[in-house]
Amino acid sequence: MHMIKLHSILLLFLAGILLVGCCGLTLPDLNGDTEEDKPTSGGSTPPTGGGGGIPPAHAYTVDDLLEAVGNDDRALTEQILESGVSVNAADDQGITALMIASFFGYDHLAQFLIDEGANVNAEDIDGLTPLMYSAGMGYPATTQLLINEGANVNAEDVEDWTVLMFAASGGYEDVVEILIDEGADVNAVDIDGLTALMLASVSGYNNVVELLLDAGAEVNAADADGWTALRYANEAGYEDTAEILENAGGTQ
């Protein structure tokens, strides 16, 4: 059976596991919390040495920075940066502090990191940028912030997935609308010929499908196996989505 590899979900999930495993972070509640519900910056200050815990300032590492950002602790983040750790330091997966802030939707902390010189177009080892992390997790405010600060709205990862594909595959209507308004290419294709419209159609995200069609998405584009958005919708059993595509001239 022909199936789409859940590229965006897998990569973002693995990134979350990496953050939890390496930095002791807590993943956000994707079923309820909004950006307004997220904790504000704060937290404890590090010990001055000895007894375990966070090391003294002179021994801070990139892992300490990532943990502080993941815990939305601005005070500690500032202290670590002041100790000499680069705001653009990355771990062995290429993950930076701004990527973590973007992954969790900490837009105020993201702005602080950018003001400190964080690269908004940095890439991890899979080619994911902070904007992909934000859009792929469905954070409109953080997504808009990154774009305003120069993030490339048409960046591609190592498999040519675009920011719009990450957002469309998650059904994040508000983020998709922002990306379209900011000039995202609605007809970009990945290495397998998949488009954002196909990704939205296979999951029955009707509002996203309509947004993409209204923005000029090619309804009859076909992937490497000859599948169109309509075929994806039909195979997945989304009759309403199929009807939308058919009304737009879609064929299998």
Side-chain angles (χ1 to χ4, degrees), residues 231-242:
R231 183 162 184 184
Y232 276 110
N234 280 328
E235 290 292 330
Y238 292 108
E239 295 180 0
D240 291 345
T241 307

Side-chain angles (χ1 to χ4, degrees), residues 197-210 213 219 229-230 232-234 236-248:
L197 183 62
M198 295 174 193
L199 295 167
S201 298
V202 75
S203 295
Y205 295 134
N206 293 340
N207 290 340
V208 173
V209 168
E210 290 176 336
L213 290 172
V219 69
L230 178 58
Y232 276 110
N234 280 328
Y238 292 108
E239 295 180 0
D240 291 345
T241 307
E243 183 177 356
I244 293 171
L245 294 166
E246 288 172 346
N247 290 339

Side-chain angles (χ1 to χ4, degrees), residues 36-48:
E36 291 75 18
D37 295 327
K38 296 184 184 300
T40 56
S41 298
S44 59
T45 55
T48 56

Side-chain angles (χ1 to χ4, degrees), residues 16 46 49 62 72 93 106 108-110 165-167 173 209 239:
V62 61
D72 198 18
Q93 299 298 307
Y106 297 151
H108 295 296
L109 190 51
M165 290 178 186
F166 280 95
E173 179 183 353
V209 168
E239 295 180 0

Side-chain angles (χ1 to χ4, degrees), residues 143-156:
T143 296
Q144 187 67 67
L145 165 65
L146 292 167
I147 294 172
N148 291 347
E149 294 291 345
N152 181 3
V153 73
N154 284 308
E156 299 177 347

Side-chain angles (χ1 to χ4, degrees), residues 181-199:
D181 289 344
E182 295 290 347
D185 182 359
V186 296
N187 288 309
V189 298
D190 77 348
I191 60 175
D192 296 313
L194 294 173
T195 66
L197 183 62
M198 295 174 193
L199 295 167

Side-chain angles (χ1 to χ4, degrees), residues 7-8 132 155-157 159-162 165-166 169 190 199:
H7 178 284
S8 61
M132 291 176 185
E156 299 177 347
D157 75 355
E159 295 189 0
D160 294 343
W161 268 55
T162 65
M165 290 178 186
F166 280 95
S169 67
D190 77 348
L199 295 167

